[in-house]
Structures are given as structure tokens and as C-alpha cells.
Amino acid sequence: MPPNDSSDGRVSAQEAMAPLWRSLVGTLRTAEADLRLDRPGSVHDFRLAARRLRSDIVGMRPLLDTDECDVLTEQLRATGLQVSGARDAEVIERRVERLLVGQPQDEDLVATRDLLHRLVAGSYEQSREQALDYLDSEEYDALTRRLERFADLPPWQSRARVSAKKALKPLLRRQWSRLRAASRKAVATEPGPVRDERLHDARKAAKRTRYLAEALTPVLGRRAEKIGKVAASAQKVLGHYQDAVITTALLADAGEHAFRDGENGFVLGRMQAEEAAAMTGMVTDFTHLVEAMERKTYQRWLG
């Protein structure tokens, strides 16, 4: 490997980031073991580990071999999809329980709870079995081997040998710009499926910005940490919004079941109305966050 040619004599980007990949791959393998044992929260932890690893590879792609990055990010995306059904079922179950608590305690509520639990439980078991089958597949085994090689010897490009701050700050600037653009586009869209999709895009941009900012904070300092916190706040509210979207879809599906079976759908209707009101509030909260993103202090520091 060519010698470090960092311009200011300090640590290079590849030296500063070298421990990151081993840590992220280790977290993924630990979450995999927990998922196999069906430990509480393991589906979420595994999906989060795969998502964070993929996000940081994307964020640092300009410093790495692009072909290897593209292969890994696509394989990690596919891995996340394999466990997404089980994770969605966990999320829906929590939101459904919260909504049911506020409903009048009567026979209609009992029937509605039983119907929803049947739908959610069936979805979780099927999705978890699919996830376990994938973890035992040759495809996943090949991915883990590739990740181990990547973590041991990251395929850095020559530009990663310059000083860490000089190489890494533009990466955060790029992700921050993408987050701001996606967020402005989402809040300017009228309510409906198109806005839901744009809010989902903004959520993905927020995740990438947050994860990259957190990874770079040891190098870039307090201002990177602040950007990470703003992105985390956006990710959180948009995550709740997406959870409400998939919960609303389940409630609509349950309503169709109730109608076919000649059961009362009033409870389901009230629950959908509550979710709709909550989603309106989430969009308002996100709009305030978008305004905070436009503060000039962030733009001046990033350049």
C-alpha cells in the first residue's frame, strides 16, 4: 500500500475509519445470532445493523472501490428485505395495542382485537421463518464472507489517504444536502400516496445522514454530532409516520375481513381515524425540523 500522504501530517481518512467496518460487521453477526435464538428485539437489531452498515458504505463510497461498494450495498439491501416483514409485524403489534387501549371495552373490541392479533401473528411467524431460511442460505453465507474480507482490508481509493477532515467533511456535506432537498420536496407535496413516498425518501436520507454523522463525529467533532442529532430527530418522526402507514394498511385489511364476515367495523374505523390524526401531527413536527435544517450555521460549517 502506498504511504500515507495526508497533507497536514495528521491521521488519514482510511486510518481514522479503519475500525468502523470491523465494528459494524461484528454488530451484524451478533444480531444474527440473537435472531436465530429469537431473542426479544433481535429482528429490529439485525435489520438496524444491516441498514447502518449499508448506509455507511454508501456514505463513504467516494473513498472506496465503487464496484465492491455497489455489490455489498445491493446484497445488504436484499438482506434487509428478508427480515422486513417480521420487523413490520412487530411494529404493527405495538401500534395496534396502543390504539386498542383507548377504545370502549365491549364485545366489538374483543372481536376486533382477536382479528388483528390473528393477522399480525400469522404475518410475524411467516416472515420470521423466511428470515431464518435466508440466514441459512448460500447467498447469506457468501455475503458474510465478503463482509469479513471488506472489514479486514477495506478497498480504499487513493483519495482516502489524505487527512481525515479534508476527505470526510465533503461526504457529510453531500448527505446533508440530499437530506435537505428530499425534506423540502416532501413537505411541499400535497397529502396522498406521492407525499407518503417522498416522506419515505426523506426518511432514508435522514438515516444515511445520521449514521454517517455519527461515524464521523470522532473526526469532525461537535458540529457533526449536532447534524447527526437533527437527522436522528427527522428519522424518528418519519419512522413513526411510516409505522403508521403500514398500520393503517393492516387496519384497512382487517376492515375487509370484518365486512366479509359480517362483523362490526366501527372499532377499526375509529382506530384508522386516530392514526390519520397522528400522521397529520407527525408531518407538522417534521415541517418544523425541515425549517431547523435551513439554519445557516450548518451550511457555513459544511462549506
Side-chain angles (χ1 to χ4, degrees):
M1 179 180 294
N4 183 319
D5 63 350
S6 55
S7 59
D8 61 0
R10 299 181 181 181
V11 66
S12 68
Q14 68 181 43
E15 291 170 333
M17 294 294 103
L20 174 69
W21 307 120
R22 173 54 57 191
S23 174
L24 292 175
V25 172
T27 300
L28 179 71
R29 300 310 302 274
T30 298
E32 172 199 332
D34 290 343
L35 177 56
R36 291 181 184 277
L37 295 172
D38 199 21
R39 287 177 174 159
S42 59
V43 175
H44 170 68
D45 291 343
F46 181 82
R47 190 181 184 190
L48 178 61
R51 180 182 292 160
R52 183 181 284 267
L53 180 53
R54 176 176 174 238
S55 179
D56 280 347
I57 291 174
V58 171
M60 296 192 202
R61 185 175 183 272
L63 303 183
L64 295 159
D65 178 80
T66 54
D67 290 339
E68 183 67 10
C69 287
D70 291 346
V71 171
L72 282 174
T73 53
E74 176 56 31
Q75 291 178 339
L76 286 166
R77 185 192 69 83
T79 297
L81 289 175
Q82 291 293 333
V83 299
S84 62
R87 172 58 182 158
D88 288 348
E90 289 182 335
V91 168
I92 291 172
E93 183 176 28
R94 288 199 298 269
R95 293 193 72 86
V96 163
E97 283 300 325
R98 179 186 60 78
L99 290 167
L100 287 170
V101 167
Q103 303 301 320
Q105 303 296 312
D106 54 24
E107 292 183 359
D108 289 338
L109 179 63
V110 173
T112 299
R113 176 180 280 112
D114 290 343
L115 171 59
L116 290 171
H117 284 178
R118 286 198 307 272
L119 293 175
V120 174
S123 174
Y124 177 80
E125 290 302 325
Q126 181 179 1
S127 298
R128 184 175 183 277
E129 186 173 337
Q130 173 185 322
L132 291 176
D133 287 343
Y134 174 73
L135 294 182
D136 291 332
S137 69
E138 293 183 1
E139 180 183 355
Y140 181 70
D141 181 64
L143 170 61
T144 57
R145 291 173 185 272
R146 192 165 200 139
L147 286 172
E148 293 290 347
R149 292 194 299 270
F150 180 88
D152 287 338
L153 192 61
W156 297 111
Q157 295 191 47
S158 59
R159 68 188 69 179
R161 300 187 192 112
V162 304
S163 68
K165 289 185 178 181
K166 182 178 179 180
L168 298 175
K169 195 173 182 180
L171 304 185
L172 184 57
R173 178 170 62 240
R174 183 176 70 161
Q175 292 300 328
W176 178 247
S177 296
R178 289 178 175 178
L179 170 57
R180 291 170 58 214
S183 299
R184 289 194 300 264
K185 187 174 183 179
V187 298
T189 306
E190 293 297 319
V194 174
R195 186 176 72 176
D196 289 348
E197 185 63 30
R198 289 178 178 175
L199 287 170
H200 185 55
D201 289 341
R203 179 193 178 198
K204 290 188 289 186
K207 285 186 293 188
R208 288 182 177 175
T209 304
R210 172 197 172 183
Y211 296 152
L212 186 61
E214 290 175 349
L216 300 186
T217 291
V219 175
L220 300 181
R222 184 172 56 87
R223 287 175 176 169
E225 181 181 13
K226 286 187 175 182
I227 286 176
K229 288 181 178 180
V230 173
S233 296
Q235 177 190 349
K236 181 177 181 180
V237 69
L238 292 177
H240 288 320
Y241 186 90
Q242 180 63 21
D243 293 345
V245 168
I246 60 177
T247 302
T248 300
L250 174 83
L251 294 174
D253 185 35
E256 293 180 3
H257 278 79
F259 179 77
R260 288 196 301 267
D261 296 340
E263 297 177 357
N264 193 328
F266 289 158
V267 175
L268 291 167
R270 288 197 298 267
M271 293 170 71
Q272 289 185 68
E274 288 184 25
E275 281 291 71
M279 291 165 73
T280 298
M282 294 170 196
V283 172
T284 299
D285 292 341
F286 179 61
T287 301
H288 294 324
L289 285 171
V290 174
E291 294 170 356
M293 290 178 198
E294 297 304 315
R295 291 175 184 165
K296 293 182 179 179
T297 52
Y298 298 127
Q299 277 61 263
R300 280 199 301 267
W301 176 68
L302 286 169

